[in-house]
Amino acid sequence: MAIFSNALSSPQPSWFTPKRLLGIFCVINLINYVDRGAIASNGVNGSSGTCTQSGACTSGAGIQGDFNLNNFEDGVLSSAFMVGLLVASPIFASLAKRVNPFRLIGVGLSVWTFAAAGCGLSFDFWSITICRMLVGVGEASFISLAAPFIDDNAPVAQKTAWLAIFYMCIPAGVALGYVYGGLVGGYSNWRFAFFGEAILMFPFAVLGFVMKPLQLKGFSPVESRKALTAVSEVKGDSTGKGGMLSMKADFIDQSSNGPSKSKFGYINLDEISRFLKDIKVLLLEKVYVVNVLGYIAYNFVIGAYSYWGPKAGYNIYHMTDADLIFGGLTIVCGILGTLAGGYVLDKMTATIPNAFKLLSATTLLGAAFCFIAFCFKSLYAFLAFFAIGELLVFATQGPVNFICLHCVKPSMRPISMAMSTVSIHIFGDVPSSPLVGVFQDYVDNWRETALVLTSVLFLAAGIWVIGIFLPSVDRFDEESEHQLTNTGSHTSPMTPLLEEKTAEKTESSSEP
């Protein structure tokens, strides 16, 4: 067993430092969300052509104008992205148990790069819709796996702060995307916005393949599919003799000239069975379920704010530059609030109960300030209270993801992040925008609509209060089902693989 443990262990890559990893992932996340903002910007999204009663027509602009899209088709572009994201997230998370997660990120970023370029080359509604779906597929690998890597390598006293820095790129990227899309669309053609994104992401896609991959805590190093399968078979039989026979049979099966149909069938059934077992574990984890339920209610409001906020502000307070005002508020409050939330939780000592306390307190206060803001008739009073409310509301990003990562054992973290992402979109921001639109059509009062929407934040705070009283265990240091215990080694199975020293290798070389 020690032979296989030593063979599969790998020292830290020469390029690696924790801060460098955080920087790379932050830039990738920023580019992801620049794309989200760019396609929603007026410069890229554009407008459809119009005709007057006299018969004079003007051509449209951007995607909507070039492809003559109605509002429904325009909205489908956003939904297509989400379909790719939501379908692929659990798939990438499940594959992380058999394929090196760092390489999976490289695969996903490659898909993202080619799909973004494809958006620029699209020629009709269906071609750009398919490309938007593939952009979502490419992003799915990154959002499922990046946070566990950051959590592994962040300093113990700054884990939530590092996660907050990473998630700070979401509001910052969207806001930059608005500006980027507006500038490119205003001075050239909207297609160049997507070409620019692809050029920016291409080096990171290449790095995912050429750099020596990192190992993720909770997973044994994957040098090859054959080695991983062999070790799994050895671990599955504790008698030793049976394990070696199983390993030998597996090597013979994989090296045979023709692929075994039954073997492939077994692998597929095994993957499906493992995925369903992981989902069951998540559903039975009360801490995880409560955390995600609160996150769904929270994202329901934030998603509708981002889509309807400028229009509501224009109608309620007659803002002539509502896009600029809401964009400015989002980037400033998003960055400061997200960083502050992570910093405060680390100062409180990052535990699951403390994370729930911070989530419920900041969301409750943020909801109160946002609700009061919409009650004011004065624009300046509204901006002051709404800015404080957004600052508090964005402080949730670090704590909520800390809980997702630490309430499950290490090997479950990718699927935990993936299913959290799937849930908050399917039940949160995807339905919230059309539902708010339907409600506004019914009441025909943007102030009333904004107040009702903001009230949902009180529900999110109440759900997170429940989490404070739930019994919880931080499972970050639990031994994974895929880790190999080597009693003859000085390396603890609890130690992240990135932090393994060369002591084991030295010990092996000194043996006769």
Side-chain angles (χ1 to χ4, degrees):
M1 178 67 72
I3 294 175
F4 285 102
S5 179
N6 292 339
L8 292 180
S9 297
S10 58
Q12 292 179 356
S14 59
W15 64 267
F16 170 79
T17 64
K19 289 184 178 180
R20 184 176 294 171
L21 177 71
L22 177 64
I24 291 173
F25 281 178
C26 282
V27 174
I28 295 172
N29 206 28
L30 195 70
I31 297 172
N32 275 327
Y33 281 90
V34 164
D35 173 76
R36 303 265 195 103
I39 196 171
S41 66
N42 288 325
V44 172
N45 188 267
S47 59
S48 57
T50 57
C51 292
T52 63
Q53 293 181 348
S54 61
C57 296
T58 58
S59 59
I63 297 173
Q64 195 172 17
D66 281 9
F67 298 149
N68 195 26
L69 306 182
N70 56 38
N71 288 329
F72 173 76
E73 291 172 327
D74 191 20
V76 167
L77 296 182
S78 175
S79 299
F81 171 87
M82 286 299 177
V83 168
L85 180 72
L86 301 182
V87 170
S89 291
I91 294 175
F92 276 112
S94 182
L95 286 174
K97 292 189 174 184
R98 301 183 64 243
V99 182
N100 183 276
F102 200 78
R103 293 297 189 226
L104 285 176
I105 291 177
V107 171
L109 295 183
S110 298
V111 173
W112 194 100
T113 301
F114 286 107
C119 290
L121 296 171
S122 56
F123 50 86
D124 61 8
F125 167 71
W126 288 109
S127 63
I128 194 170
T129 298
I130 293 172
C131 288
R132 292 309 298 169
M133 190 179 297
L134 291 175
V135 168
V137 170
E139 186 176 325
S141 69
F142 182 73
I143 63 172
S144 301
L145 302 171
F149 273 117
I150 293 173
D151 193 53
D152 275 358
N153 297 286
V156 175
Q158 299 177 355
K159 285 185 177 293
T160 320
W162 279 42
L163 287 173
I165 293 171
F166 176 71
Y167 285 105
M168 171 198 71
C169 298
I170 294 177
V174 172
L176 287 174
Y178 290 148
V179 177
Y180 169 74
L183 290 175
V184 174
Y187 289 98
S188 60
N189 189 280
W190 60 268
R191 297 178 184 275
F192 289 102
F194 294 111
F195 295 147
E197 294 169 7
I199 292 172
L200 290 173
M201 187 66 83
F202 180 73
F204 297 99
V206 173
L207 288 178
F209 292 101
V210 300
M211 292 191 305
K212 185 174 182 179
L214 305 179
Q215 306 300 336
L216 190 60
K217 179 181 173 69
F219 299 89
S220 56
V222 184
E223 300 299 332
S224 67
R225 181 179 175 184
K226 182 188 296 185
L228 178 60
T229 306
V231 175
S232 298
E233 295 291 344
V234 173
K235 186 175 176 65
D237 192 323
S238 59
T239 61
K241 181 178 179 181
M244 292 302 293
L245 290 174
S246 299
M247 179 189 67
K248 181 179 179 181
D250 193 59
F251 273 121
I252 294 173
D253 179 81
Q254 290 192 32
S255 60
S256 59
N257 294 329
S260 171
K261 182 177 180 181
S262 61
K263 182 68 178 177
F264 277 100
Y266 169 76
I267 291 175
N268 291 335
L269 290 176
D270 183 64
E271 286 297 320
I272 294 173
S273 175
R274 182 179 297 165
F275 174 75
L276 293 177
K277 287 180 180 178
D278 288 345
I279 297 299
K280 183 179 179 181
V281 170
L282 291 178
L283 292 176
L284 292 176
E285 178 56 64
K286 295 179 181 178
V287 170
Y288 180 80
V289 172
V290 168
N291 186 51
V292 172
L293 286 176
Y295 204 7
I296 289 171
Y298 167 89
N299 216 52
F300 185 95
V301 178
I302 298 301
Y305 270 176
S306 64
Y307 191 81
W308 293 112
K311 183 169 289 186
Y314 177 80
N315 283 274
I316 298 172
Y317 297 103
H318 308 291
M319 299 179 188
T320 56
D321 50 357
D323 289 336
L324 179 60
I325 292 175
F326 272 87
L329 280 177
T330 298
I331 192 169
V332 174
C333 296
I335 291 175
L336 295 179
T338 305
L339 292 176
Y343 177 81
V344 170
L345 181 57
D346 284 331
K347 288 298 181 182
M348 292 172 62
T349 303
T351 64
I352 292 176
N354 281 347
F356 274 123
K357 291 175 185 177
L358 188 60
L359 284 173
S360 55
T362 55
T363 305
L364 180 63
L365 289 174
F369 273 94
C370 290
F371 190 91
I372 294 172
F374 282 108
C375 293
F376 284 110
K377 293 184 178 181
S378 168
L379 171 61
Y380 298 106
F382 163 78
L383 292 176
F385 273 77
F386 192 74
I388 297 173
E390 275 208 324
L391 192 70
L392 290 164
V393 165
F394 275 114
T396 60
Q397 292 299 310
V400 74
N401 287 288
F402 174 87
I403 295 173
C404 282
L405 290 168
H406 285 251
C407 71
V408 297
K409 59 185 179 181
S411 63
M412 289 284 293
R413 290 182 303 168
I415 196 69
S416 171
M417 296 302 296
M419 296 314 299
S420 171
T421 301
V422 168
S423 299
I424 65 173
H425 288 309
I426 288 180
F427 303 108
D429 57 357
V430 169
S432 68
S433 294
L435 287 176
V436 169
V438 170
F439 185 81
Q440 168 59 22
D441 288 339
Y442 176 74
V443 301
D444 195 24
N445 186 317
W446 275 109
R447 189 185 301 274
E448 184 176 340
T449 299
L451 290 172
V452 171
L453 173 64
T454 304
S455 299
V456 179
L457 283 175
F458 292 108
L459 174 63
I463 294 173
W464 279 328
V465 166
I466 298 173
I468 300 173
F469 303 100
L470 291 176
S472 59
V473 177
D474 191 324
R475 304 183 187 277
F476 178 78
D477 286 324
E478 283 192 9
E479 183 179 356
S480 167
E481 61 190 279
H482 296 290
Q483 286 177 304
L484 299 176
T485 303
N486 180 12
T487 56
S489 171
H490 296 297
T491 303
S492 169
M494 302 297 186
T495 305
L497 291 168
L498 274 171
E499 297 179 3
E500 288 185 355
K501 305 299 181 182
T502 57
E504 185 177 350
K505 185 181 294 185
T506 303
E507 180 184 354
S508 300
S509 62
S510 63
E511 293 178 358

